[in-house]
Amino acid sequence: MRVALYPGSFDPITLGHLDILERASKLFDRVIIAVANNTTKQPFIALGKRLELIREATQHLANVEVSHFEGLTVQFAKSCQAAVLIRGLRAVSDFEHEFQMFHMNQTLEKSLDSVILMASGPFQFLSSSLVREVAKFKGDISHAVPPNVAHYLNHEHPF
Ligand code: ADP
């Protein structure tokens, strides 16, 4: 069974993330989307809520599981028996960072490979940080995030 791990902050999950996840779920037997819990950074959306939003938004994907971790991605990947890391690549902006991450992860764990999926057209310029900025000022983010996330940000998030 081919298990892939899709790690990230997902603060919040966007339609760009969801597109990568849907495509990865067709390539692998099991995909674990895992929220990296960075304890030194104050998140925009609390970890528990982020996990709940991701669970709701990925309900239609039968071979996708939602998880979270602290510490090194390679260690968590090993504990899940994932052979592959999934990452998304948007035009130009992500390249340097993703390249560095790939090399560091390969150095730390040779047996763990990475599959980098190109962002689909409409999502090339979409990021969680932009969504956060627009949401803070009550702008419309419904074209950028799954409906449950838009509802949460519009009506429930304590800004
Ligand atoms: P991180 O904090 O690890 O960068 P993110 O939640 O921002 O976590 O992103 C997780 C992964 O998804 C990264 O590989 C990132 O490049 C990718 N990604 C982010 N936004 C998009 C998008 N709009 N389209 C495709 N991939 C994306």
Side-chain angles (χ1 to χ4, degrees), residues 74-94:
V74 292
Q75 288 170 352
F76 184 65
K78 205 168 188 175
S79 74
C80 304
Q81 288 165 344
V84 168
L85 290 180
I86 303 289
R87 298 290 288 174
L89 195 75
R90 286 160 294 187
V92 192
S93 61
D94 286 331

Side-chain angles (χ1 to χ4, degrees), residues 15-32:
L15 293 179
H17 293 132
L18 202 54
D19 176 65
I20 296 290
L21 196 58
E22 283 168 355
R23 288 158 58 199
S25 76
K26 292 181 191 139
L27 297 174
F28 296 93
D29 300 309
R30 202 173 138 222
V31 179
I32 303 165

Side-chain angles (χ1 to χ4, degrees), residues 87-90 92-107 114 116:
R87 298 290 288 174
L89 195 75
R90 286 160 294 187
V92 192
S93 61
D94 286 331
F95 185 78
E96 184 79 24
H97 178 66
E98 293 300 335
F99 209 59
Q100 284 181 9
M101 294 285 287
F102 168 74
H103 278 282
M104 181 54 84
N105 287 333
Q106 276 266 294
T107 307
S114 299
I116 316 290

Side-chain angles (χ1 to χ4, degrees), residues 6-11 14 16-17 20 86-90 94 97-98 119-120 123-124 126-128:
Y6 182 28
S9 311
F10 308 107
D11 193 17
T14 69
H17 293 132
I20 296 290
I86 303 289
R87 298 290 288 174
L89 195 75
R90 286 160 294 187
D94 286 331
H97 178 66
E98 293 300 335
S120 300
F123 309 126
Q124 289 285 344
L126 182 54
S127 66
S128 297

